[in-house]
Amino acid sequence: MAFNLKGRSFLTLKDFTPKEIEYLIDLSAELKSLKYAGITPRTLEGKNIALIFEKPSTRTRCAFVVAAVDEGAHPEYLGKNDIQLGKKETVADTARVLGRMFDGIEFRGFKHDTVQQLAEYSGVPVWNGLTDKYHPTQILADFLTVKEHKGYLKGIKFAYVGDGRNNMANSLMIGAAKVGMDFRIVSPSDLFPEEELVKDAKKIAKETGATITITDSIDEGVAGVDVIYTDVWVSMGEEDQFAERIEKLSPYQVNMDMVNKADDSVIFMHCLPAFHNRDTIVAEEIYQKHGLAEMEVTEEVFESKYSVVFDEAENRMHTIKAVMVATLGK
């Protein structure tokens, strides 16, 4: 069943019904199949898309650029030094200018209020590529990946392990509630998500048959799950908190002991980048300073048969394409 999402912004999954989310995932799968077959419908022919990046990115930038070009659109990258967003020009004024020149706007940055203002004042669809509160395009990619490997979403036992109050935990919880998962956040109690957001998720869950569990117990949270998901312990802009986060989150590292508590066919997921070895400059600096060679996930798990992280990374492009096609296409 098709849905008319044209003209809609994509800021948080809270704004979309379970059926609309399901439609976007199904559309993603369809567009992925077409790309594999060498077919590009080019439903965005003649469109111009602004890509605003306060925070740099590999997957989000590449996914939007490739998805836009595949569908015939022109993407224009605007880094933090390219525009005066909120510095010499208000967000509202910038939005009204860009809305007269571009057909759609992507924003990846810090304050969620910024992407909300862009959507309010630009007059064109705005897509949230990440804010400090939500990361909805990542969740579509995650759920497409789960569906590809497990065949379904409703009833999936899904454990998010780590910092339970970051944008990934927030977005996964809302998304899981919308699609009817058995969802658990497994984290230290002082890193539990905001109570108001948990209430929102549980309210949604009552309508969809989902269950939401927030626990500091690894045994309770991970037992028999179909999916184990984690994220970096320190987000961009919080690097001064490494020592504190390492102390709190080391017991929640995803390792084979944890994997063995899950279902035999569990899949491991991570939105990337991941600190799973010392083979980057930052990881080596962490090792030299804190003596930790692996952080949120071990190399053994990351490179294991359970890991689907690169399927997940690829699916960023297919799901972002679906969002743009559904909200901006012909």
Side-chain angles (χ1 to χ4, degrees):
M1 180 179 178
F3 289 82
N4 184 4
L5 302 182
K6 191 166 184 179
R8 294 268 298 273
S9 287
F10 190 75
L11 309 185
T12 167
L13 292 178
K14 290 171 72 173
D15 298 336
F16 289 78
T17 68
K19 287 293 186 183
E20 288 170 339
I21 294 170
E22 182 181 342
Y23 166 69
L24 287 170
I25 293 169
D26 289 346
L27 178 59
S28 304
E30 178 185 342
L31 293 172
K32 182 175 182 177
S33 294
L34 289 173
K35 184 174 176 67
Y36 274 37
I39 301 168
T40 50
R42 299 184 71 81
T43 55
L44 302 179
E45 193 79 55
K47 303 292 186 181
N48 291 287
I49 293 169
L51 305 178
I52 302 174
F53 280 76
E54 284 186 338
K55 282 186 175 184
S57 167
T58 299
R59 278 151 297 280
T60 301
R61 178 176 178 177
C62 293
F64 268 101
V65 168
V66 174
V69 172
D70 274 359
E71 293 298 319
H74 168 74
E76 182 66 29
Y77 179 84
L78 300 170
K80 65 179 182 179
N81 296 321
D82 295 323
I83 58 175
Q84 299 296 323
L85 192 68
K87 296 177 183 178
K88 292 183 178 179
E89 184 171 49
T90 67
V91 174
D93 289 355
T94 301
R96 286 179 282 197
V97 170
L98 295 180
R100 289 173 178 239
M101 299 182 182
F102 291 93
D103 301 288
I105 300 170
E106 177 273 348
F107 172 80
R108 178 184 173 92
F110 293 93
K111 295 180 181 178
H112 191 69
D113 177 67
T114 303
V115 78
Q116 289 176 315
Q117 287 192 62
L118 288 170
E120 181 179 356
Y121 290 99
S122 67
V124 299
V126 172
W127 310 296
N128 180 1
L130 174 143
T131 64
D132 54 7
K133 193 164 186 179
Y134 297 115
H135 196 1
T137 57
Q138 178 67 53
I139 277 55
L140 290 183
D142 298 338
F143 287 1
L144 174 61
T145 307
V146 172
K147 194 168 185 179
E148 287 176 338
H149 285 270
K150 296 296 183 179
Y152 63 100
L153 294 175
K154 190 175 181 66
I156 283 286
K157 298 180 178 68
F158 192 117
Y160 171 86
V161 183
D163 181 354
R165 64 182 183 186
N166 70 9
N167 50 17
M168 282 306 307
N170 292 344
S171 298
L172 283 167
M173 180 168 59
I174 294 298
K178 291 276 188 177
V179 300
M181 290 182 175
D182 173 354
F183 180 75
R184 305 99 181 263
I185 285 181
V186 188
S187 74
S189 57
D190 59 347
L191 293 178
F192 281 177
E194 296 176 7
E195 288 185 15
E196 195 62 34
L197 194 60
V198 176
K199 288 180 182 177
D200 290 344
K202 288 185 174 180
K203 184 178 179 181
I204 295 166
K206 286 181 180 179
E207 300 172 359
T208 64
T211 58
I212 305 294
T213 303
I214 313 296
T215 181
D216 60 3
S217 168
I218 293 170
D219 288 341
E220 176 188 359
V222 176
V225 295
D226 304 300
V227 181
I228 295 176
Y229 196 115
T230 194
D231 190 10
V232 292
W233 288 346
V234 178
S235 297
M236 195 179 300
E238 299 178 335
E239 287 80 5
D240 60 336
Q241 299 179 31
F242 260 122
E244 178 186 349
R245 293 297 180 87
I246 288 171
E247 181 180 355
K248 287 182 179 180
L249 290 169
S250 288
Y252 295 86
Q253 180 189 68
V254 179
N255 50 40
M256 286 307 299
D257 287 341
M258 182 184 292
V259 168
N260 289 333
K261 298 177 189 294
D263 185 79
D264 290 343
S265 60
V266 66
I267 59 175
F268 167 72
M269 303 182 71
H270 192 306
C271 52
L272 302 182
F275 290 102
H276 56 95
N277 57 32
R278 294 166 54 189
D279 294 347
T280 64
I281 293 171
V282 174
E284 182 62 23
E285 289 173 351
I286 291 167
Y287 175 75
Q288 294 299 331
K289 189 170 183 179
H290 302 287
L292 201 62
E294 304 161 313
M295 291 186 67
E296 71 275 6
V297 59
T298 63
E299 180 84 347
E300 183 179 17
V301 172
F302 189 86
E303 297 291 354
S304 72
K305 65 180 182 180
Y306 304 106
S307 178
V308 298
V309 297
F310 296 109
D311 293 345
E312 185 184 358
E314 178 194 339
N315 282 340
R316 291 299 310 285
M317 189 266 292
H318 304 298
T319 47
I320 281 170
K321 184 185 290 185
V323 169
M324 292 195 294
V325 167
T327 59
L328 193 61
K330 297 175 182 177

